[in-house]
Amino acid sequence: MKGKVVAIQIGAPSFVDEGVEACLDTLQKHASVNTLFAMTYSYKEGLSGRAWPPVDHGRQERSPEFHGGYYAELHPQYYRNTLFKDRISAVRAPDQGDFDLLGAVIPAARKRGIRTIPFLADQIHEDIPEFREMAEWDLEGRRLPQVCFNNPHFKAYLEAMVEDCVRSYDVDGLLWRSERWGPLSNALSLSRGDGPVKNTETSCFCPHCLKKGKEQGINVGRASEGYRILETFASTARAGQRPTDGYYVSFWRILLRYPEILAWDTFWYDSLRATYKTVYAKAKAIKPGIPVGCALPATISFNPFYKAAVSVRDLAKYCDFAKIICYHTDGGPRCAKYVDALRSTWLQDLTRDEVLALEYRIMGYSQGSYDEIRSNGLSADYVYRETKTWVEGARGTGLHIWPGVDIDVSPGEDDPPRSREGVRDAVLAAFRAGAPGIVLSRMYSEMTLNHLAGASDAIRLLA
Ligand SMILES: [Zn+2]
């Protein structure tokens, strides 16, 4: 186990509620943690909030309304060339008062030999007007609640935040996460596992993207037209109106008629890649020695379109590490819902079992039936296979693969059973597959200590 990374995702509320030293004590004792992914910039309660209902540690009462934002001190001099030049305090998270997550945690963690890697999430708050200026546009020119990677204001803001974070604190690395995917997947409702919901977030058609796309030789008018037709196909399919030639043939016919659909999807992923590169280049220019990496969404396990667009060899060019989500418990319902999403449009002519079998075949793992994975989750074998695929893909590059192991993610009534043994087996599987590290996910505040201890159980067995 020497040199292996045992990381955990943790937000400011845990340190505030439990105390920095007490929190670090718990993490070392129950999970042998040697790396913190400190939730420094997040607008998602599931990353940087408190758990509700409460677990067996932390604050036992419900939080006031969650807001999110940046949980460390902001330094205005870095934001002079951004839309926030006069009011960067607008992105300071108000939830934990003036608690400085990085200022308080880094020195205390380092004394114990624990590394701290700030985690910056690709998120915004819709109530902050500057974000509207950076937003993606849908086909109708409506602003979406997410930033456009080709928006120069966003690029300036992201670079400023990376510089602020890396210069202001003695960080041991940096992680930037984007849990989004291209317009093709969005048009087909291929979300990360929310089922066949109507998705109107086909993007981005803002002036910056249209200009850049044109410069690259893409017929953006045809791309827009193709996506309108694809959206109509998808909504008609969701309504159960079968085309004469069937769903698959009709979908393929649209792609043949509008190859610009794929060009625009690739354009979106190229823009995502450019953003990864921006983060990497900025951080490395300041501190060349620190590892800079990314966190990939659970979609990577379920969506072949996403996996094709984000290749491991390519990631290795601008990431030192990648956290890939391999959630054995939560992955079951997510995979099942993903099957529902696939069946809602272009694969509607297949039965649920056929889609699931196809999914297993093309994504390289095999688990139980639809009902079984929905009720019981996935097994440690899924963690093993998924990790192995990534580790082998990265072989010969400098990219380190750190699988994310789920512990009590977003507890609900219909969850598959969660257990200490399940965590132990998932951690063992990840290391057995050759991973140089793991990330206990999604956030410490929602993990029960007994389940968390499954990580230490595994580490003891491996020692
Ligand atoms: Zn755009």
Side-chain angles (χ1 to χ4, degrees):
M1 277 303 292
K2 196 168 185 307
K4 300 276 190 188
V5 170
V6 181
I8 192 165
Q9 296 185 177
I10 184 165
S14 293
F15 292 111
V16 170
D17 296 347
E18 300 178 34
V20 172
E21 296 296 342
C23 212
L24 295 174
D25 277 346
T26 302
L27 296 178
Q28 288 189 306
K29 181 179 160 203
H30 284 80
S32 309
V33 163
N34 56 28
T35 304
L36 305 174
F37 278 165
M39 293 299 156
T40 305
Y41 181 63
S42 154
Y43 282 102
K44 186 173 178 184
E45 194 166 12
L47 288 177
S48 54
R50 288 190 175 91
W52 188 261
V55 291
D56 54 359
H57 59 94
R59 196 154 117 176
Q60 299 295 302
E61 56 191 79
R62 191 157 208 168
S63 290
E65 193 177 345
F66 175 80
H67 186 282
Y70 195 79
Y71 287 87
E73 195 178 327
L74 287 152
H75 302 83
Q77 65 267 31
Y78 298 116
Y79 300 89
R80 287 192 191 114
N81 297 321
T82 76
L83 291 178
F84 289 107
K85 61 179 181 289
D86 298 320
R87 49 179 240 110
I88 189 57
S89 59
V91 302
R92 180 69 160 96
D95 311 288
Q96 305 303 326
D98 59 0
F99 179 72
D100 177 353
L101 173 63
L102 299 178
V105 170
I106 289 175
R110 179 152 302 141
K111 273 188 208 152
R112 298 164 179 257
I114 297 176
R115 301 189 303 167
T116 305
I117 298 179
F119 187 115
L120 310 180
D122 168 24
Q123 293 159 357
I124 61 172
H125 198 289
E126 288 183 76
D127 292 346
I128 297 177
E130 285 84 350
F131 286 130
R132 191 173 161 77
E133 300 297 312
M134 306 178 194
E136 284 197 329
W137 293 25
D138 72 4
L139 281 161
E140 311 305 328
R142 288 174 297 219
R143 307 301 191 273
L144 297 172
Q146 56 216 22
V147 289
C148 165
F149 298 133
N150 291 316
N151 184 302
H153 297 304
F154 170 64
K155 189 176 179 204
Y157 172 59
L158 183 62
E159 284 191 303
M161 182 171 287
V162 168
E163 180 164 11
D164 188 359
C165 191
V166 174
R167 278 201 200 283
S168 305
Y169 297 98
D170 191 10
V171 300
D172 295 302
L174 189 76
L175 177 146
W176 185 71
R177 182 198 83 151
S178 179
E179 286 213 351
R180 293 198 269 145
W181 29 91
L184 176 62
S185 294
N186 278 327
L188 294 173
S189 296
L190 302 183
S191 69
R192 65 176 174 174
D194 296 329
V197 294
K198 169 79 179 89
N199 198 322
T200 57
E201 296 181 356
T202 304
S203 57
C204 174
F205 296 93
C206 81
H208 302 292
C209 285
L210 296 182
K211 179 169 180 288
K212 191 172 172 185
K214 270 184 207 159
E215 287 167 0
Q216 292 184 8
I218 300 173
N219 186 330
V220 298
R222 291 274 305 168
S224 304
E225 196 178 320
Y227 274 102
R228 282 180 202 282
I229 289 170
L230 192 60
E231 281 198 342
T232 302
F233 160 79
S235 60
T236 306
R238 281 190 292 266
Q241 296 171 31
R242 187 176 187 275
T244 308
D245 292 328
Y247 294 101
Y248 183 86
V249 168
S250 302
F251 166 60
W252 195 245
R253 188 172 286 149
I254 294 170
L255 290 185
L256 290 174
R257 181 61 61 195
Y258 290 94
E260 295 85 1
I261 287 174
L262 292 179
W264 203 244
D265 199 51
T266 301
F267 175 79
W268 189 93
Y269 284 103
D270 284 343
S271 305
L272 171 66
R273 265 184 279 280
T275 309
Y276 282 131
K277 288 175 189 171
T278 295
V279 171
Y280 189 82
K282 192 74 189 175
K284 290 286 194 179
I286 299 164
K287 287 185 183 159
I290 61 169
V292 178
C294 64
L296 301 176
T299 298
I300 198 79
S301 277
F302 311 131
N303 185 344
F305 297 154
Y306 185 99
K307 196 159 185 177
V310 182
S311 92
V312 61
R313 311 289 302 181
D314 196 55
L315 279 176
K317 295 174 188 166
Y318 42 84
C319 291
D320 298 316
F321 65 86
K323 177 209 163 183
I324 53 161
I325 291 184
C326 291
Y327 289 178
H328 63 288
T329 310
D330 213 44
R334 287 189 193 194
C335 184
K337 286 179 189 169
Y338 200 82
V339 165
D340 292 340
L342 283 164
R343 280 200 73 230
S344 72
T345 57
W346 63 301
L347 292 181
Q348 202 171 136
D349 282 323
L350 276 62
T351 66
R352 207 166 60 181
D353 289 342
E354 287 168 341
V355 173
L356 184 60
L358 178 70
E359 174 81 356
Y360 287 159
R361 285 281 185 185
I362 59 181
M363 298 306 281
Y365 53 89
S366 184
Q367 296 284 306
S369 69
Y370 179 94
D371 290 336
E372 284 168 350
I373 61 171
R374 185 140 196 165
S375 305
N376 304 329
L378 305 175
S379 70
D381 183 64
Y382 154 74
V383 179
Y384 174 79
R385 288 186 188 224
E386 189 72 348
T387 303
K388 199 164 181 357
T389 299
W390 279 86
V391 168
E392 286 182 356
R395 187 156 290 144
T397 73
L399 182 68
H400 287 206
I401 301 297
W402 296 345
V405 171
D406 67 323
I407 305 178
D408 305 327
V409 171
S410 188
E413 283 182 7
D414 298 327
D415 290 335
R418 301 157 189 269
S419 70
R420 177 171 178 161
E421 292 74 21
V423 172
R424 177 198 64 199
D425 293 346
V427 172
L428 287 172
F431 283 123
R432 191 162 51 86
I438 52 148
V439 185
L440 305 173
S441 306
R442 175 183 62 160
M443 61 175 180
Y444 167 69
S445 70
E446 67 185 355
M447 301 173 186
T448 59
L449 294 179
N450 183 40
H451 294 171
L452 180 62
S456 272
D457 294 343
I459 306 300
R460 269 194 295 276
L461 288 170
L462 291 165

